[in-house]
Amino acid sequence: MVGDDLLPLHVGASGFVAEVCRRLNIRSMVNNLVTWDESQWKRSPGTLTVALIINILINRRPLYRVWEAFQHLDLPVLFDEPVVLEDLNDDAFGRTLDRLYESGNLKLLLHSVALRAVHLLPLGVRSVHADTTSISLAGRYEWTESDLAYQESHPDRSLLNITHGFSKDHRSDLKQFMYGMIVTGEGLPVMGSVHDGNLSDKAWNLEMIQQMQQSFLDPQRVVYVADSALITPDNLAKMAEHRMRFISRLPETYKLAEQLKERAWSKDGVWRCIGRIGESATSAVYHTQSFIETLEGRTYRFVVVHSSAQQARKAKTIQKQLDRERAQLEKEQKELQKKVFNCREDAERALQAFLKAHRHSPFNITGDIAEDRVVVRRPGRPRKDEVPPTRTEYRIQLAFADPDDKALDELHAKASTFVLITSLDEHQWPDEEILREYKGQTAVETRFRNLKADPCIVDHIYVKSSRRAEALAYLFLLALLVASFIEIKIRQELTKQSRQFLVPGQRMTNRPTMSMILTVLESVLVVLVRTAEGTKRILPSNTDKRVHELIELMGIDVSAYTHDRSRQDV
């Protein structure tokens, strides 16, 4: 039986996360960015923001139940001002979200914390990776009377429109909002934004191109990497205006993409073997060719890339493509063979036009002209001995055979080929570096998975107000930034020390994920020892040694769990 002078608390990762928020200076940044009256607030909006971040990363309770996540935690250790459980109520959190939204500084808050993280790690930002994703929500999410009243009094502010749009979650039945994110190659979010559910990626990229001019990222030095939605006439013009360095994929909708593939696979094409980009022995093998061409009136470098992995994956896609093309050919064949021509020359021209239009078809198409003698009957009853006149009509006869082995090989080759477009010089950025940076898009894709699944940072948005929903969506991004900072810092230290870490599943790695790290920290127990001199906090001797490893790798100490901070002015 534990005596009254000993109180064990299962605090998990709370002290660890709180200390990282402290290092990132989140509390003071929020307090400086929002408008608030200290005499009217029991606890500062900065402290309440840190509480929400801890809740998002560890417990993910809705606003009206956040207090439950803290009822067994050690509040004096977590916060830099005196906090009691009653302070962590939904009204206080709601006011905090209101102030964050009204500040109009949510993007700036995220960007400022990111800048501090870049300096603390430190990171030399050579390139950034940009993309968007949709977050599907169950519910109506219509603007409240309060939202409409706010918009009427603030006509310069647009309310977040949670609505139907193109769903990247394949949930067209649900309303959604959009996240846009820019991360470093290591995966640290440095810019993020929340948008209406029907925003297009093309419009978002244009907005990011403009916003990068006001960020700490120098667009003339940092390479902007994005998917094919970046390549539009407007975006290319804006990037040229700002002399912005970029890498993207040329959309297949541009004829130039097919032309470059044709050139690469012609008999004059010379492929350069890049080899494997990934570390696995089963990773794809890449070959490239570079071309200088003009697009939208400007000269760019294009890198045609062939992937062995794509060639293996494209078999079903190619068969579907052949089935569709066969069906289309059969339809056109019936229509053309119905036509009647009065002279051979017209029929020949129509046949040649058809063959030319389908000259790139993998099917072997042949055609011929058939002649028919047709009796021309005049009006009225013919004379008994009259021989009716005739005329010659011409029809086209078509036939097509399945693609031969050579044509199929060419189809598979082209299907496993894509084209990259860049403004970077070949001497400073060889093909391998261009491809490696583009493949680095997995950094932003991974962060979107963290938001949605592993761990699920965005679980549910239990608020009705559009303004609070938008503010909370930004806090999800801020929580992701905190978790990313932890992951990157620990990976950096493991690499620096040439060490590996034992993650759940009894596997050693030098690249633990944020989910693995938080899972290990879930076990942390703190014992409060009440003495005449006050309360003393200790970590039990049987604490998982990996917890101490993580504390050391993070560059903090056990005071993150044992020091009462509420009694000091910070």
Side-chain angles (χ1 to χ4, degrees):
M1 177 71 71
V2 177
D4 292 339
D5 56 342
L6 297 179
L7 177 62
L9 296 177
H10 184 193
V11 297
S14 60
F16 196 98
V17 172
E19 179 62 22
V20 172
C21 289
R22 193 172 291 115
R23 295 288 175 93
L24 293 175
N25 212 19
I26 291 175
R27 172 177 174 263
S28 62
M29 284 188 187
V30 171
N31 288 339
N32 290 332
L33 281 173
V34 307
T35 301
W36 63 292
D37 184 348
E38 291 189 43
S39 64
Q40 300 296 318
W41 287 65
K42 287 186 178 180
R43 299 297 164 247
S44 72
T47 290
L48 293 169
T49 297
V50 171
L52 286 174
I53 292 172
I54 294 172
N55 172 66
I56 290 168
L57 290 179
I58 298 175
N59 296 287
R60 295 188 295 282
R61 304 283 175 84
L63 290 190
Y64 66 92
R65 293 178 55 197
V66 168
W67 65 274
E68 294 178 3
F70 288 90
Q71 61 181 333
H72 299 301
L73 298 183
D74 196 359
L75 302 187
V77 169
L78 299 181
F79 304 112
D80 295 332
E81 58 182 282
V83 174
V84 295
L85 193 60
E86 291 72 21
D87 297 331
L88 304 178
N89 59 75
D90 56 341
D91 287 336
F93 290 125
R95 286 194 302 272
T96 299
L97 294 177
D98 288 340
R99 292 295 187 275
L100 285 168
Y101 178 84
E102 291 165 8
S103 73
N105 288 324
L106 287 164
K107 291 179 185 176
L108 178 61
L109 172 62
L110 186 70
H111 197 54
S112 299
V113 176
L115 176 58
R116 181 163 178 80
V118 167
H119 287 314
L120 287 177
L121 283 168
L123 292 178
V125 184
R126 181 184 189 230
S127 63
V128 292
H129 300 266
D131 204 355
T132 67
T133 194
S134 57
I135 300 293
S136 301
L137 301 173
R140 297 177 64 183
Y141 286 97
E142 296 177 350
W143 292 334
T144 64
E145 291 184 7
S146 174
D147 288 332
L148 296 173
Y150 183 88
Q151 188 176 43
E152 186 175 349
S153 59
H154 298 80
D156 58 321
R157 296 288 300 275
S158 297
L159 295 174
L160 178 66
N161 186 16
I162 300 176
T163 186
H164 295 283
F166 175 74
S167 174
K168 299 186 179 184
D169 298 326
H170 307 291
R171 289 300 307 268
S172 57
D173 57 314
L174 299 179
K175 288 187 176 182
Q176 64 183 28
F177 68 88
M178 301 294 295
Y179 268 131
M181 196 188 310
I182 296 178
V183 308
T184 66
E186 297 81 4
L188 182 74
V190 289
M191 293 179 69
S193 51
V194 178
H195 298 276
D196 295 347
N198 54 6
L199 179 77
S200 75
D201 285 6
K202 296 175 182 179
W204 177 79
N205 271 296
L206 181 59
E207 184 177 326
M208 289 302 102
I209 292 168
Q210 296 166 332
Q211 288 187 12
M212 275 190 67
Q213 313 309 312
Q214 286 78 47
S215 73
F216 69 81
L217 302 169
D218 183 351
Q220 295 181 27
R221 298 184 62 185
V222 176
V223 179
Y224 184 86
V225 187
D227 64 17
S228 60
L230 174 65
I231 307 304
T232 69
D234 289 344
N235 291 349
L236 289 170
K238 186 61 67 174
M239 287 191 290
E241 176 185 337
H242 296 299
R243 293 185 295 167
M244 190 166 168
R245 293 145 58 92
F246 73 91
I247 299 171
S248 185
R249 181 166 176 166
L250 182 65
E252 298 294 328
T253 50
Y254 280 95
K255 290 183 179 179
L256 181 58
E258 183 63 27
Q259 292 169 359
L260 289 170
K261 290 181 187 181
E262 293 282 352
R263 285 177 60 183
W265 286 106
S266 70
K267 62 179 181 180
D268 298 325
V270 179
W271 292 96
R272 179 184 307 166
C273 181
I274 299 299
R276 305 184 192 277
I277 297 294
E279 298 178 358
S280 169
T282 59
S283 298
V285 175
Y286 294 97
H287 292 77
T288 65
Q289 291 188 54
S290 277
F291 302 96
I292 302 298
E293 287 293 341
T294 299
L295 183 68
E296 302 293 350
R298 301 176 192 86
T299 301
Y300 299 100
R301 174 177 161 211
F302 297 88
V303 181
V304 181
V305 182
H306 174 258
S307 163
S308 62
Q310 281 202 16
Q311 185 158 337
R313 291 196 299 263
K314 290 292 184 178
K316 289 185 178 179
T317 303
I318 291 171
Q319 188 56 54
K320 289 180 180 179
Q321 176 187 335
L322 289 173
D323 291 342
R324 286 195 301 268
E325 187 161 346
R326 175 190 288 276
Q328 182 63 28
L329 279 173
E330 289 174 347
K331 179 181 176 182
E332 294 181 23
Q333 178 190 32
K334 290 180 181 179
E335 293 175 355
L336 189 58
Q337 291 184 164
K338 287 179 183 178
K339 292 185 178 181
V340 176
F341 299 89
N342 293 323
C343 68
R344 174 177 286 275
E345 289 75 11
D346 289 345
E348 287 284 0
R349 279 194 293 268
L351 173 59
Q352 293 307 315
F354 182 88
L355 295 176
K356 182 178 180 181
H358 295 84
R359 64 187 181 280
H360 298 304
S361 173
F363 291 91
N364 183 21
I365 304 172
T366 57
D368 200 0
I369 308 299
E371 295 184 9
D372 289 326
R373 299 295 296 178
V374 180
V375 174
V376 180
R377 297 190 180 277
R378 294 182 298 180
R381 183 187 297 272
R383 293 191 303 270
K384 186 176 182 179
D385 58 347
E386 181 180 1
V387 177
T390 61
R391 71 166 181 265
T392 303
E393 292 181 347
Y394 301 89
R395 297 176 184 270
I396 296 174
Q397 298 294 323
L398 290 172
F400 54 89
D402 288 338
D404 56 23
D405 290 342
K406 181 180 179 182
L408 283 175
D409 288 343
E410 186 176 335
L411 265 181
H412 281 275
K414 288 182 180 178
S416 59
T417 305
F418 57 93
V419 182
L420 300 180
I421 174 174
T422 182
S423 59
L424 299 171
D425 179 78
E426 184 174 10
H427 298 293
Q428 296 180 345
W429 286 79
D431 288 0
E432 179 179 353
E433 291 301 310
I434 297 296
L435 177 60
R436 192 178 295 277
E437 284 293 345
Y438 182 74
K439 298 295 288 183
Q441 278 293 93
T442 53
V444 66
E445 293 164 2
T446 297
R447 291 308 177 225
F448 284 144
R449 284 197 297 273
N450 295 147
L451 279 173
K452 296 180 178 185
D454 183 28
C456 180
I457 289 176
V458 179
D459 193 353
H460 297 286
I461 294 185
Y462 292 99
V463 290
K464 294 181 179 179
S465 163
S466 171
R467 291 169 294 143
R468 289 185 178 181
E470 181 173 345
L472 188 55
Y474 273 100
L475 287 192
F476 288 140
L477 282 179
L478 191 56
L480 178 66
L481 195 161
V482 171
S484 301
F485 177 81
I486 293 171
E487 178 186 281
I488 295 167
K489 175 64 176 177
I490 288 174
R491 288 182 175 186
Q492 281 183 338
E493 290 302 315
L494 287 171
T495 300
K496 188 184 301 183
Q497 299 175 29
S498 299
R499 290 171 54 188
Q500 291 192 319
F501 183 76
L502 182 64
V503 298
Q506 300 301 303
R507 181 172 62 87
M508 300 295 292
T509 179
N510 63 354
R511 294 182 61 80
T513 66
M514 61 176 70
S515 177
M516 296 171 181
I517 294 166
L518 293 175
T519 297
V520 170
L521 292 170
E522 282 178 3
S523 66
V524 178
L525 188 76
V526 171
V527 177
L528 274 61
V529 183
R530 304 189 190 283
T531 66
E533 290 78 22
T535 300
K536 182 179 179 181
R537 295 166 171 83
I538 60 172
L539 291 181
S541 59
N542 64 345
T543 298
D544 189 336
K545 67 176 184 179
R546 294 177 299 173
V547 171
H548 291 284
E549 280 188 72
L550 290 173
I551 288 174
E552 176 195 343
L553 290 166
M554 199 66 219
I556 58 180
D557 54 50
V558 294
S559 65
Y561 285 99
T562 61
H563 182 54
D564 183 344
R565 302 174 188 278
S566 64
R567 299 182 180 276
Q568 63 185 17
D569 293 325
V570 179

